[in-house]
Amino acid sequence: MRLNINKQRSLWWGVSLIVILAGLVAMGISWQKYGAPLRPSLDFIGGTRLQLQRDCSKPENCAKPIDINAVRQVMSERGLGNSSIQLVSDERGQQQGISIRTKTLNVDERTQLQQTLTKEIGAFDPKATQIDTVGPTIGQQLLSSGLIALLVSFAGIVIYLSLRFQLDYAIFAIVALFHDVLITTGIFGILGLVQGTEVDSLFIVALLTITGFSVNDTVVIYDRIRETLKVNPDLPIDQVVDNAVNQTLGRSINTTLTVLLTLLTLFIFGGETLKNFALALMIGFAAGAYSSIFIASTLLSLWRERTGQSQNNNQLSTTSDQ
């Protein structure tokens, strides 16, 4: 099967535009509702973290692993159903501890919660108990640092692709990256309104990972475009791009599917803490494969058609030889 992506590029752009606009609308509604474009977790708005370890010195106290559903039931009964709960393994690899992130609790509320959990899942070791409070200021610092890291990565990609290829290659690769980020954040904006899905600091990590994966796929296609231009300098740019995409299509599909299968396993079995992280990566990686094939390459083709750069030039040859 051969794809003629340039003949239907309006379709590819239209699909992306619809998804992005839907996401932007959802983020606008989320801003009105939560004061942020995405529903923020405790990492960004502050809260209390409790890490509790069962006292295994008491007879039968650690006979069974902690039932995380019982912990969730306790949290829901106390109006803390949106809390993040994670099982913690001890030095022997047994899950005898829990880590809870919830809204800010005062001393009395924390004491009552610990007492209820003790009744339901067993006594805790006071020496191993850790209680931390994260304020909104720290949450803002996490968000600012994450955004700065994302912008720095974009700048580094522009510099690398400008040196490796040419400036127009770099510009359209960045457009594709913004496409992937907007798709991912937009879908999470929708999920935040529909299912109450929250974003935490791992979401920023996911966005950085997505940019790395997406630009790698784009570089492979760009490299094939450059090689084709060297061999067939008189070939129209739309044919060059179509050939490059079709030559790398199998590699792109196989790589993406392999990664998505791994992430699907992580999404299903990775627990609540990693579930949204894996989901963000799955959305972003799928969007990255799409943008590399249908967005970055077709934009480059259109630009070179409009500017008359459909043939290889001396600058490209010089850059590629270096």
Side-chain angles (χ1 to χ4, degrees):
M1 181 184 68
R2 177 179 173 80
L3 291 177
N4 295 315
I5 61 170
N6 280 290
K7 289 184 178 180
Q8 296 178 310
R9 56 193 176 199
S10 296
L11 173 63
W12 317 130
W13 299 344
V15 170
S16 293
L17 185 61
I18 291 172
V19 177
I20 290 173
L21 287 177
L24 290 176
V25 170
M27 287 191 284
I29 297 173
S30 178
W31 191 284
Q32 295 293 326
K33 189 173 183 180
Y34 306 116
L38 303 176
R39 184 169 181 170
S41 71
L42 297 177
D43 285 357
F44 299 123
I45 61 176
T48 298
R49 183 180 70 91
L50 297 91
Q51 185 156 323
L52 308 171
Q53 192 79 22
R54 283 205 295 201
D55 188 355
C56 293
S57 63
K58 296 186 176 182
E60 302 299 323
N61 196 47
C62 299
K64 297 180 180 179
I66 293 176
D67 184 359
I68 194 170
N69 292 321
V71 179
R72 289 198 182 101
Q73 181 66 28
V74 171
M75 302 300 291
S76 297
E77 291 174 354
R78 303 192 67 83
L80 304 172
N82 292 330
S83 304
S84 173
I85 305 168
Q86 181 182 6
L87 294 178
V88 179
S89 301
D90 57 18
E91 62 276 3
R92 295 172 295 178
Q94 298 180 352
Q95 293 181 331
Q96 301 294 346
I98 52 174
S99 178
I100 299 172
R101 288 186 299 166
T102 186
K103 68 178 184 180
T104 303
L105 303 177
N106 58 37
V107 177
D108 291 337
E109 290 172 330
R110 294 199 303 262
T111 301
Q112 292 173 9
L113 176 60
Q114 287 180 256
Q115 290 174 349
T116 306
L117 289 171
T118 299
K119 293 178 182 178
E120 293 295 329
I121 62 176
F124 296 106
D125 183 359
K127 296 181 179 179
T129 298
Q130 298 180 15
I131 300 176
D132 303 310
T133 299
V134 179
T137 302
I138 296 177
Q140 291 297 323
Q141 291 177 351
L142 285 172
L143 180 60
S144 299
S145 299
L147 293 177
I148 291 173
L150 197 60
L151 293 176
V152 169
S153 69
F154 281 177
I157 290 169
V158 169
I159 295 172
Y160 167 74
L161 291 179
S162 298
L163 296 175
R164 176 76 184 273
F165 300 99
Q166 284 181 288
L167 182 59
D168 54 353
Y169 283 77
I171 291 173
F172 296 125
I174 290 298
V175 171
L177 291 182
F178 273 110
H179 166 277
D180 304 338
V181 170
L182 286 174
I183 291 287
T184 306
T185 54
I187 291 178
F188 264 76
I190 296 172
L191 292 176
L193 295 175
V194 175
Q195 296 185 348
T197 303
E198 298 179 342
V199 297
D200 54 17
S201 56
L202 282 178
F203 185 76
I204 303 296
V205 177
L207 293 182
L208 291 169
T209 308
I210 289 166
T211 59
F213 180 88
S214 178
V215 77
N216 176 69
D217 216 18
T218 303
V219 165
V220 171
I221 296 176
Y222 278 177
D223 194 58
R224 189 56 58 92
I225 292 174
R226 183 177 63 178
E227 293 300 319
T228 304
L229 283 172
K230 290 173 62 178
V231 176
N232 301 291
D234 297 325
L235 199 64
I237 188 62
D238 60 337
Q239 294 185 29
V240 171
V241 171
D242 281 352
N243 290 340
V245 168
N246 281 280
Q247 290 169 14
T248 58
L249 185 61
R251 180 259 183 204
S252 298
I253 293 176
N254 291 335
T255 301
T256 303
L257 285 178
T258 302
V259 175
L260 289 180
L261 287 173
T262 305
L263 290 173
L264 181 61
T265 304
L266 184 63
F267 177 79
I268 297 173
F269 301 107
E272 290 296 322
T273 303
L274 296 177
K275 187 174 182 179
N276 289 341
F277 175 68
L279 178 61
L281 289 180
M282 285 193 291
I283 296 170
F285 286 0
Y290 182 91
S291 67
S292 297
I293 297 171
F294 298 110
I295 305 299
S297 57
T298 54
L299 287 174
L300 178 65
S301 176
L302 178 65
W303 169 256
R304 296 224 159 188
E305 287 174 4
R306 296 289 177 86
T307 58
Q309 298 183 60
S310 60
Q311 295 182 349
N312 197 10
N313 53 47
N314 293 333
Q315 182 181 0
L316 182 60
S317 299
T318 303
T319 304
S320 62
D321 292 339
Q322 294 176 351

